[in-house]
Amino acid sequence: MADPDRCFPSRSSGASGLDCLGADVTVSVRLAVGTDLGRRATFRLEDGPCERASTARAWLTLPHSMFTLNAHHASVEVYGGEKPLTKDNSFKEIMTENEKQRLTGDEEIIKELCVSNGLCHEKVCQEGSGEMVLEMFFSGFPRMVGLSLFPRLSSLTIVGQSISSIQGLEYCPLLKELWVVECKLNEISGLHNCVHLQKLFLYDNNIQQITNLEMLVDLQVLWLNKNQISDIQGLNSLVNLKELNLADNAIESLGHSLDPNINLQDLNLSGNKISSFKELTHLARLPRLRHLSLKDPQSVPNPLCLLYNYYIHVLYHMPHLQRLDTYDISSKHLKDTAESTVLKKMMYYTMRVRCAQRQFDELKAKLRQQRRNQIQIPEEKIRVLTHMLRNMECELSLVQSAGKKSGEPEDLTSDLRNDHRHEQKLQHKLDALKDRLTFWEQRLKEVEAGHQHDVALASDRRDMMVHFLLLELETVGNIRFEEGNTGEPWFTSCYDLLLSRFCAWDYKPYHITGIKINRIIRIHNRALRQCFQDKVHALLCRQEPSPYSQNYKRCMEYLFYVPDPEHSCESDEILQILENGFKTADAYKALGRERAVPLSNSVSLSDRLRMTFIQKKSCSTSGSSPEDPLPFRHGQLIISKVFLGRSAAAKEGLPIDCDHYPKANSVYLSTCSKEQEHTAQTAPDTLCPSSLLDSCDCRQRQKLWYMFDHEMVLPEYLVDFEYVTQDTSQPDSPDSPSSSHASPADAPSVSRAELDLDEDALNLEPILKPHPKLLSLDEKSILAVARANVLSQITVLNLHGNSLNKLPEISRLTALKQLALSFNEFTHLDDVSHMNECVRMVVLGRLKTLTHLDDVLVMEEEAAAAVQVAARSRINQASLMIHSRTDSERPRSLSLLSSAHLLTQISPSPWKHSQELESGWTTKITALNLDGLRLTRLSNLDRLVNLRWASFDNNELTRIEGLEHCPLLEELSLNNNSISRLEGLCAMHRLTRLSINSNHLQYLDGDILDQLPNLHFLSVENNIISSLHGLQRSRSLFELYVGNNDISTTRDIYHLKALSSLIILDLYGNPLVNKLENYRIYMVFHLPSLKALDGVAVETCESETAKDVFGGRLNADMVAEKLGHTNYRDLSELNLQSSSVRMVDLTPADLFSNLRSINLERNNLTSFSGLIFLPNLKVLSLNYNHIESILPRQKVQSHMSNKQVLYHKVSSSGYGQQNSRPSREGLTDNLEPLMSSLEVLHLGYNGISNLINLQISRLTNLKALFLQDGLDGLRRLRELVLDRNRIKSLSENSFCGQGVLLDLHLAENRIRELNHLQPLTELRRLFLDMNKIQDISELEKLEVLPSLIELSVVGNPVARRSLHRPAVVLHLSTLQVLDGMTVTLEERTRAELLNNEAQSSSSGGEITLPGLVPLVTRPAPLRGAGTHTLVPDQQDDTHDVSRYKKQKAVVSLLRGVQSDFNFRQVRGSSNHYMTALQQTGYRVLSTFSNTDPETRSVHTHTHTHIQYRSLCDVEG
């Protein structure tokens, strides 16, 4: 090969021929032989033949300006134009005019190339070899020429040319960077020699496929954006590719096309048509991907970018990304948020899937019960008939055997047994019994077939629902399925639509009378809906006018679709349609159907193909008469929203194809067309409504529709239906669409005639006499029954119809082949266990040294088989190699499978049986799935020190063992074993998920759970757990599944209150669920962190209802939660301050019989509530509550007349007040005493406003009552009644806050002094009757009450014979009523006159005027220091009259008589102390009722302490 740096002489050098004759010249030629196109060859150009050139015909490819060749100097055939050059013609003579122009154009291109890059065209041959970078912009040149001048080129940029293919790069083997952009490339070619290429930019061309890149193994950057690429392919060899730009193409799916590009770091897929999140999950297999763009600002976003949770999905599956769609997502907080969101969704859908499985299990249980009910009569009849049949067979056997034997002594029945007629009767009865047995066995088969059919249907529905849930999870909620009910308007509309499109006449040949809707599921597919809306919008926005532009809704229609099983290549076509939409028209054409999406507006038309196919299949498999007369009874149908657009009627004889209807969006075919009639004639077994032309006019509206664009068909509903025939029930109403599960094999009721036939068969002659029954079995009885002499000779033994429960001698029958034990009393068959080969194999597999077992020699083949069986039930090297994986991370997949299941499902085993395992290979194992291997124990796992995910489901394990050397274990599944205890888990501190469903667990060991600090998921369903004690120590739990156990007490719920992170709880199937009233809101209240309970999300309204119902309820469970134990009878004190208690329900009270003291301060109690039932309570502290009364306030009656309602609203209405408003004295009459043991009661700071309603008098044994801060908060108080207490004095702060008080009642107390009344500036009425006021000077202190208009001091020592009146009238100028009698002007004048006379005579000595109390006051008696707390006064209540001086009467007799009369009137009045207030006023009542003297004496001498710290000192 010549030196590539050598250049060729140019034409300008004057050489007319070949000036380099005799030299080695490198010429690019294209050989016409073989496939070596474009091979570079070296020719020796000289006179005479050339060996190498003589064997090939070549075309010159060098430009004319670079090389001119005279053909007579070369020994090759050189073509110039269409004629070969010969020795007689020259190159110039043969060249056509076009070729001349082309050569001239190539020279111009080279000149432009030189100018653009600053090169001299004349010296390009010398200087070109040193150029490494060339650029050419927007020149419009049609091809690539002149590149052979630049053999050392490393970078080539061509922009904006008219190039359609890449040429000439074979001269540039050192090229590393190539730009051919904004050109017209149709394909990728001409790069096979550029093996060193690292960067390739081919964007903005017309490339449709990625090809011819296999040799570019060093390529690192590839830009193919803005082309027409629809599939990613041809990149498998580009293992070093780091940057790939495929933006603005037509890519819809990714698949595994990028899996080999493990070094890819930057990927741009913006502006494509990727619409499914499933496609993005494939990118998670690119470990080094850091930058991903799906919604670049310069491109149109992919459809999936408009879906919900787009960023969440990408961040979860590709946590290593640093930039997404120009956004920086390197923040750990963002990725943690995404992962947390996805994990919560996976928790939610795990719960939903379990709920679907539970519903299926419940339905199976109902179907089993239904089956049991249906087979009850057949089984009973079969039992009776079989018993009789066996007896008849025994009798017949005896008769036949007796007839064959001879020489035997005759007995009493020998004549009968030998009677031929008797044998015929026996045979006749046997035949009759067999016929009846056949009938009932057939009935039993029908019931069983119906049951299996129903279970299969339920299973299919379960599987579909689980598929829907998983699809919702995988699409992060962008595809949702909503099961309808009658409360939804859309459900009713859909139901009515189906009924309106169903015509019973179409199904008349099948005797179908109706359709039953079992279920309607609404489909929310955001991607398909967005595509549908965009397509409709694009059609409506076209420039040309269309008939549907004005009112496009007229072109909207709901049509039906049912898959055709004969032409469908997918078994789950419905699921594919719901997820990805309908197939394209070409796809339907490939299946042998019309080139369009087939739809119909009729149920019968849409379902006819399915019905026909199933009917044919049923006939072919079961003969001419199939078992089920209606095998297509159950079906599914899709209701789609369709935009019909321009519609056209189908033309006869013209295939349905968009090419034949260019202006139509859809084509319809009426059922009454000739083509349809022809179809009915050629396929008579195909359901066709046109065959019933005279039956119904529905056919006029029934049409088949064909849509050319599948994106204009949006699936919205999936309907699960079944046809109703004449012999089945009528279709359900929409009120109960899925209430029943009828099947075609439901057994009809048994007729009386059939039962009579059984009786006739049983009563046929002969009637056998009962024979004696064997109660036990020994050798003699066996020989007698078998009629044999030696046990070893017995091959058949019939023990039918006896009372045996054991078979002690049966093991000696070594030749026994047939044993009949029907109709005995066996409960188990331990005596025949030696006949069980499985037991023998297990024993031999475990005891390998045995030579004899049960006195039977162990054969070598038998021992080998047993060892093989035993090997499969143990963990060995082979099982570890097959079922283990070595992945370091859990796959980022939205799957509900456990990690062990997922890894073994999607990853191949890293080990091969043929290879030699390296030492320590077990330490690489991270995942292990040993499900269903009949393992009896976990062993040989001590070397799996890096095991992280393990599953041992469906085995025979009884203990958790062998995992002590697996400290890294994160997930462990032990479902469906026989484990009874949680043990062997203490070393697994990293365990996050533990599943032990369907085992024998009885309790949860808290000590074990305490060793699992990271446990987030615990599932122990289908065990026998009776208590949740111990779970409180597993504080990291998020999900807890304890369904179908034995939890029965609410006390167990309190063990869960410590689980503050628990968000999903499932207790379904436990007795507590049905036992506890208001179970759901009870759980929601006590576990406020729950987001889902028993498979149903917790709504906000449920939380609010729970707070209203259970908030603040003090019951036994709450006490147990607070104290940590349930020893209620040992409680003597209970302190629950500040516990938000608003109701007490400590029942039964016997549990708290030893409770003596309760402190419920600072709670929300309004009454004593359930405290009144505690029998031995002595001290009760209820300070800082809202106590209004001892008993809860009764609700107002709801049934009241209008007048009564008015009276309750307006207290001054006067209606019925004289009867309905009880007096203070009679309010507490006849009330039963409460809390007889209570002695000390604290009611301070409760804001008590009415002591009468409080009903303190019912606490008859009360010794101390504390009412601190009784009036401080009552600053709007208008009336205060404190009558009949033992108030002795008024303190400084007694009325500091009652500045607006109008009426004050202090009658029948022990007040001697009237101090500290200054704050009562608005007081108008003061009642101080029956106190101990002795001096006039105390009354003069009332001058500080400027508004006082009424005063009553009747019954006080100072008021005897009304001698106080003049002084009081004189000092209280505003007083209008004194002691119930009006103060007149005359009386006030007389008082002033007397006062003046007394003052004028005071200088001459002491003068006592008649009727006037001396103005000189007595010294006030000394009181103890302090007025807040006083020792109870033990003096008698009788006033000491001797303390007062007798005074002469100066008033007239009439005045004295009137005063005495008024005094008596006041004492006898029962309502004297009651003063009416307006409706807005406030009052405090604190009086004892006017009881008889004996009762009053009891109140007077009760040693009860009442302490008002800010009001007064009180006794009583």
Side-chain angles (χ1 to χ4, degrees), residues 1224-1225 1248-1252 1254 1256 1265 1267 1269-1272 1274 1277-1291 1293-1296 1298 1301 1303-1311 1317 1320 1323 1325-1331 1472-1475 1482-1489 1506-1516:
R1224 240 185 320 271
E1225 291 79 358
I1248 297 174
S1249 61
N1250 192 322
L1251 293 178
I1252 292 180
L1254 191 62
I1256 293 294
L1265 175 64
L1267 293 171
D1269 198 24
L1271 300 176
D1272 281 357
L1274 307 179
L1277 196 64
R1278 295 294 189 273
E1279 181 180 2
L1280 176 60
V1281 181
L1282 294 172
D1283 296 342
R1284 296 189 181 185
N1285 283 285
R1286 292 186 179 185
I1287 302 174
K1288 299 167 62 177
S1289 64
L1290 305 177
S1291 67
N1293 298 323
S1294 296
F1295 303 106
C1296 60
Q1298 282 66 49
L1301 189 65
D1303 295 2
L1304 177 59
H1305 299 258
L1306 291 170
E1308 299 190 46
N1309 281 282
R1310 293 186 176 186
I1311 300 175
L1317 295 175
L1320 304 177
L1323 189 66
R1325 299 175 182 84
L1326 178 60
F1327 302 94
L1328 297 170
D1329 306 298
M1330 303 299 291
N1331 276 281
H1472 174 69
Y1473 309 118
M1474 202 67 174
T1475 303
Y1482 294 85
R1483 66 181 65 193
V1484 175
L1485 305 178
S1486 179
T1487 64
F1488 286 93
S1489 54
I1506 303 179
Q1507 182 183 28
Y1508 272 81
R1509 289 187 176 174
S1510 59
L1511 173 62
C1512 49
D1513 296 329
V1514 185
E1515 286 185 11

Side-chain angles (χ1 to χ4, degrees), residues 1310-1327:
R1310 293 186 176 186
I1311 300 175
R1312 289 185 173 89
E1313 298 176 355
L1314 298 177
N1315 299 320
H1316 308 301
L1317 295 175
Q1318 295 86 345
L1320 304 177
T1321 56
E1322 300 294 330
L1323 189 66
R1324 298 173 62 84
R1325 299 175 182 84
L1326 178 60
F1327 302 94

Side-chain angles (χ1 to χ4, degrees), residues 692-812:
L692 303 171
L693 300 181
D694 299 331
S695 301
C696 182
D697 59 353
C698 292
R699 63 181 181 84
Q700 301 294 338
R701 300 186 296 271
Q702 293 177 351
K703 295 180 180 178
L704 291 172
W705 287 90
Y706 296 95
M707 296 298 304
F708 296 131
D709 191 345
H710 70 286
E711 293 182 346
M712 295 170 64
V713 184
L714 177 64
E716 285 202 338
Y717 304 98
L718 176 64
V719 181
D720 192 345
F721 67 91
E722 64 177 285
Y723 293 118
V724 179
T725 55
Q726 296 174 354
D727 56 345
T728 59
S729 59
Q730 293 299 316
D732 291 339
S733 66
D735 295 334
S736 56
S738 59
S739 58
S740 64
H741 301 273
S743 69
D746 283 343
S749 59
V750 180
S751 63
R752 184 61 191 175
E754 298 293 343
L755 299 178
D756 292 341
L757 290 176
D758 292 341
E759 293 297 327
D760 294 342
L762 293 172
N763 294 329
L764 286 175
E765 293 291 339
I767 304 298
L768 300 182
K769 296 179 181 180
H771 67 277
K773 297 184 178 181
L774 294 176
L775 299 178
S776 61
L777 201 63
D778 54 18
E779 180 179 354
K780 182 178 180 180
S781 58
I782 293 176
L783 294 175
V785 172
R787 296 190 178 188
N789 297 323
V790 182
L791 293 178
S792 60
Q793 296 178 351
I794 299 176
T795 59
V796 177
L797 181 60
N798 190 342
L799 297 176
H800 160 77
N802 289 285
S803 299
L804 300 175
N805 55 21
K806 291 184 178 180
L807 297 174
E809 301 290 335
I810 202 69
S811 59
R812 299 175 59 185

Side-chain angles (χ1 to χ4, degrees), residues 561-570 573 593 609-610 613:
Y561 177 83
V562 176
D564 179 11
E566 184 175 1
H567 296 92
S568 178
C569 59
E570 302 169 348
E573 182 182 354
R593 307 187 67 177
L609 296 178
R610 183 189 71 91
F613 175 80

Side-chain angles (χ1 to χ4, degrees), residues 1098-1358:
V1098 176
E1099 303 291 342
T1100 304
C1101 60
E1102 288 182 306
S1103 300
E1104 296 174 353
T1105 304
K1107 291 179 182 179
D1108 294 340
V1109 175
F1110 293 104
R1113 174 174 290 188
L1114 174 59
N1115 52 21
D1117 293 331
M1118 182 177 181
V1119 173
E1121 176 193 4
K1122 296 290 184 181
L1123 302 182
H1125 63 82
T1126 58
N1127 301 324
Y1128 304 120
R1129 298 187 186 277
D1130 297 339
L1131 285 178
S1132 60
E1133 296 183 4
L1134 182 61
N1135 189 345
L1136 293 177
Q1137 300 184 61
S1138 304
S1139 298
S1140 301
V1141 177
R1142 65 182 181 89
M1143 182 186 303
V1144 180
D1145 185 19
L1146 295 178
T1147 55
D1150 295 342
L1151 288 177
F1152 304 91
S1153 58
N1154 295 321
L1155 199 58
R1156 299 290 188 271
S1157 174
I1158 295 181
N1159 187 348
L1160 293 176
E1161 293 184 357
R1162 301 185 185 277
N1163 283 287
N1164 299 317
L1165 291 171
T1166 58
S1167 68
F1168 289 20
S1169 188
L1171 294 170
I1172 63 175
F1173 302 109
L1174 300 178
N1176 298 312
L1177 187 63
K1178 292 183 178 296
V1179 180
L1180 178 60
S1181 180
L1182 298 175
N1183 296 330
Y1184 297 99
N1185 280 277
H1186 309 287
I1187 302 296
E1188 298 176 352
S1189 62
I1190 295 179
L1191 296 178
R1193 185 168 43 188
Q1194 296 182 354
K1195 295 181 180 180
V1196 181
Q1197 296 180 358
S1198 58
H1199 303 287
M1200 293 191 299
S1201 63
N1202 293 334
K1203 290 183 178 181
Q1204 289 174 325
V1205 174
L1206 178 63
Y1207 169 72
H1208 280 278
K1209 288 183 178 180
V1210 185
S1211 60
S1212 60
S1213 61
Y1215 174 79
Q1217 284 189 4
Q1218 64 274 16
N1219 296 325
S1220 61
R1221 186 174 181 178
S1223 65
R1224 240 185 320 271
E1225 291 79 358
L1227 190 62
T1228 59
D1229 289 348
N1230 302 322
L1231 293 179
E1232 180 183 357
L1234 299 173
M1235 306 180 73
S1236 59
S1237 62
L1238 188 63
E1239 297 180 356
V1240 180
L1241 176 61
H1242 295 262
L1243 289 176
Y1245 310 100
N1246 277 278
I1248 297 174
S1249 61
N1250 192 322
L1251 293 178
I1252 292 180
N1253 291 342
L1254 191 62
Q1255 301 180 12
I1256 293 294
S1257 61
R1258 304 183 68 175
L1259 307 178
T1260 55
N1261 198 40
L1262 197 63
K1263 298 297 182 8
L1265 175 64
F1266 297 88
L1267 293 171
Q1268 300 96 321
D1269 198 24
L1271 300 176
D1272 281 357
L1274 307 179
R1275 299 188 177 276
R1276 299 180 62 187
L1277 196 64
R1278 295 294 189 273
E1279 181 180 2
L1280 176 60
V1281 181
L1282 294 172
D1283 296 342
R1284 296 189 181 185
N1285 283 285
R1286 292 186 179 185
I1287 302 174
K1288 299 167 62 177
S1289 64
L1290 305 177
S1291 67
E1292 183 178 357
N1293 298 323
S1294 296
F1295 303 106
C1296 60
Q1298 282 66 49
V1300 296
L1301 189 65
L1302 300 180
D1303 295 2
L1304 177 59
H1305 299 258
L1306 291 170
E1308 299 190 46
N1309 281 282
R1310 293 186 176 186
I1311 300 175
R1312 289 185 173 89
E1313 298 176 355
L1314 298 177
N1315 299 320
H1316 308 301
L1317 295 175
Q1318 295 86 345
L1320 304 177
T1321 56
E1322 300 294 330
L1323 189 66
R1324 298 173 62 84
R1325 299 175 182 84
L1326 178 60
F1327 302 94
L1328 297 170
D1329 306 298
M1330 303 299 291
N1331 276 281
K1332 294 184 178 183
I1333 303 174
Q1334 300 176 359
D1335 300 329
I1336 292 295
S1337 60
E1338 294 301 325
L1339 298 180
E1340 292 176 355
K1341 294 178 181 179
L1342 300 179
E1343 289 180 332
V1344 298
L1345 304 176
S1347 302
L1348 190 64
I1349 62 174
E1350 182 176 354
L1351 174 65
S1352 178
V1353 291
V1354 175
N1356 284 274
V1358 73

